[in-house]
Amino acid sequence: MKYLFLGISVALLIVLSVFYTHSTLQLALAMILAIVQSRITCPKCGNSILKDKNGWYIFTMRTTCRHCGQDTLLCEVEPDEVTEKRLK
């Protein structure tokens, strides 16, 4: 839920910054929230959720970790059996 909220808030601030070109405060807030969102890591493997295999930041919402398959909408670590069952 927190990832969904962060994604929506960043998108909303970016859209507002585009339409209100004189508001540098909104653009600064969008950039700060994007940086905070980029620091979110997977609770299971510790890798950044928004980085791909080449190390580039991809600001798209994913429901699973690209590295280990953990459900990123959960804050607690799920057992390996649950992850493997869901990925099949």
Side-chain angles (χ1 to χ4, degrees), residues 68-84:
C68 66
Q70 164 78 22
D71 186 359
T72 58
L73 297 177
L74 300 174
C75 294
E76 61 273 349
V77 176
E78 63 185 12
D80 291 334
E81 298 82 27
V82 174
T83 304
E84 290 173 8

Side-chain angles (χ1 to χ4, degrees), residues 11-60:
L12 181 65
L13 286 175
I14 290 172
V15 167
L16 287 175
S17 297
V18 168
F19 288 115
Y20 298 108
T21 56
H22 298 291
S23 179
T24 56
L25 177 62
Q26 289 177 346
L27 182 59
L29 287 174
M31 295 173 102
I32 290 170
L33 283 176
I35 291 170
V36 168
Q37 185 181 12
S38 70
R39 301 291 181 196
I40 298 174
T41 59
C42 174
K44 189 172 191 177
C45 66
N47 290 323
S48 177
I49 292 175
L50 298 175
K51 278 189 180 179
D52 65 356
K53 62 182 177 182
N54 298 323
W56 291 89
Y57 283 104
I58 300 174
F59 293 98
T60 55

